[in-house]
């Protein structure tokens, strides 16, 4: 994957330690289930940043908050992935951890048990307008909307980006957490975002509509550009209340769907920064998503 760099991508979001447990078939409640277990670097924000760098964006920066327990490891992993880490080390909270239960069958579907730890303690004091120097696009992880401190950071970053003419994208992150937050509250919090990148489930939840195309169209009346990620069905690009493009999925051999949406988002943003139209950028996103589901964990290969 290649893209000509034209300004930096600043990602603000979560840096998480993933414990990925791949099992086959249903979990055996109350007893043992055989699984392959790995500890891997993750977090939606960090994954997006690494996939954008893998897709060819030459300057990718990540603002996130980690605990002192694993700060050095995460910094090394981000640097190895081509990302410039801007990590705030939290002395009072450990690095967030997610246990990813992955069905190793054909669907490779996963269930998350999430302890956000330090990641949702990112706060306005961690922001500086200087972070936008040389930045072509700002991307916000939707997980930041799920705590008071990081919601305040989102509001500040959005105001700063608008003042500096930097377009902003956001991925809603989690249908489960969105339900707790509330649809109306979410839509109010993302006022001013230029690009929304929901999954199919998130788009339907945010609109109350059962059909992903209808949902994407409706969301695009609130946000100028909506790109709905649909997994095996590809992606939808919607503007001004209309679905403009239906992008097919790339062929994939699923092993673990963890991070597939992050891969799409990272590659999509890298392509936009390189000058691609959203429809072509979505093609790159689908290619990255297909590569991601064929790997265990949420990060790209190191040979890119």
């Amino acid at each position: 994957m290649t893209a000509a760099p034209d300004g930096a991508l600043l990602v603000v979001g979560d840096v998480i330690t993933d414990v990925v447990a791949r099992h086959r078939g249903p979990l055996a409640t109350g007893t043992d289930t055989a699984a392959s277990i790995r500890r891997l670097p993750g977090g939606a924000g960090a994954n997006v940043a690494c996939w954008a760098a893998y897709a060819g964006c030459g300057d990718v920066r990540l603002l996130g908050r980690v605990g002192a327990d694993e700060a050095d490891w995460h910094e090394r992993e981000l640097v190895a992935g081509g990302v410039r880490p801007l990590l705030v080390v939290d002395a009072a909270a450990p690095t967030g951890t997610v246990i990813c239960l992955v069905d190793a069958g054909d669907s490779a579907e996963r269930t998350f048990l999430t302890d956000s730890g330090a990641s949702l303690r990112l706060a306005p004091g961690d922001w500086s307008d200087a972070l936008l120097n040389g930045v072509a696009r700002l991307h916000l992880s939707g997980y930041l909307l799920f705590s008071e401190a990081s919601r305040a950071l989102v509001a500040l970053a959005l105001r700063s980006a608008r003042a500096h003419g930097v377009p902003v994208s956001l991925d809603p992150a989690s249908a489960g957490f969105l339900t707790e937050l509330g649809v109306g509250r979410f839509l109010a919090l993302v006022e001013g975002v230029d690009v929304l990148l929901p999954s199919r489930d998130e788009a339907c939840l945010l609109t109350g509509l059962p059909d992903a195309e209808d949902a994407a169209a409706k969301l695009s009346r609130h946000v100028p550009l909506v790109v709905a990620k649909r997994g095996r069905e590809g992606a939808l690009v919607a503007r001004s209340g209309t679905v403009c493009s239906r992008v097919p999925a790339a062929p994939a051999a699923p092993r673990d769907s963890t991070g597939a949406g992050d891969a799409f988002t990272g590659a999509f943003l890298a392509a936009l920064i390189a000058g691609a139209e959203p429809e072509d950028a979505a093609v790159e996103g689908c290619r990255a998503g297909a590569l991601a589901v064929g790997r265990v964990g949420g990060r790209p290969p190191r040979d890119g």
Side-chain angles (χ1 to χ4, degrees), residues 30-288:
T31 185
D32 296 317
T33 299
S36 170
I37 300 174
R38 294 176 64 184
R39 172 178 170 269
L40 298 167
N47 292 346
V48 167
C50 288
W51 280 99
Y54 181 77
C57 188
D59 187 351
V60 183
R61 309 166 191 178
L62 173 70
L63 174 64
R65 196 172 184 98
V66 295
D69 54 335
E70 294 183 322
D72 291 343
W73 178 59
H74 277 291
E75 181 161 350
R76 288 194 303 271
E77 289 292 327
L78 288 164
V79 170
V83 174
R84 178 182 168 192
L86 308 170
L87 299 183
V88 180
V89 179
D90 194 314
T95 302
T97 300
V98 172
I99 297 175
C100 311
L101 303 176
V102 182
D103 187 337
D106 291 342
S107 67
E109 281 302 323
R110 76 275 193 239
T111 300
F112 296 146
L113 302 175
T114 301
D115 179 353
S116 297
S119 66
L120 294 191
R121 290 165 56 89
L122 204 63
D126 300 321
W127 177 262
S128 165
D129 286 357
L131 289 166
L132 293 175
N133 290 343
V135 168
R137 287 187 170 271
L138 169 65
H139 178 72
L140 302 171
S141 168
Y143 280 108
L144 296 174
L145 299 177
F146 304 133
S147 81
E148 184 176 350
S150 52
R151 277 195 296 273
L153 172 71
V154 166
L156 178 59
L158 274 169
R159 289 196 299 271
S160 181
R162 284 198 295 270
H164 290 81
V166 175
V168 182
S169 55
L170 184 140
D171 186 324
S174 166
F177 285 156
L178 276 177
T179 300
E180 295 180 21
L181 180 67
V183 169
R185 193 176 187 192
F186 173 85
L187 292 174
L189 289 167
V190 302
E191 182 71 31
V193 165
D194 301 278
V195 184
L196 190 67
L197 294 128
S199 69
R200 172 181 47 226
D201 290 347
E202 291 156 2
C204 292
L205 175 62
L206 288 169
T207 58
L209 298 173
D211 180 78
E213 293 205 17
D214 293 341
K218 183 175 180 178
L219 282 172
S220 70
R221 299 188 188 104
H222 300 278
V223 178
L225 177 65
V226 172
V227 182
K229 299 170 283 189
R230 301 192 296 167
R232 293 182 177 183
E233 297 176 19
L236 303 169
V237 179
R239 297 186 189 87
S240 303
T242 302
V243 172
C244 309
S245 181
R246 298 163 182 82
V247 179
R255 294 183 66 205
D256 175 10
S257 58
T258 303
D262 303 332
F264 180 104
T265 296
F268 175 84
L269 294 173
L272 286 188
I273 288 174
E277 292 298 319
E279 292 77 9
D280 294 327
V283 172
E284 295 303 317
C286 285
R287 289 174 180 165

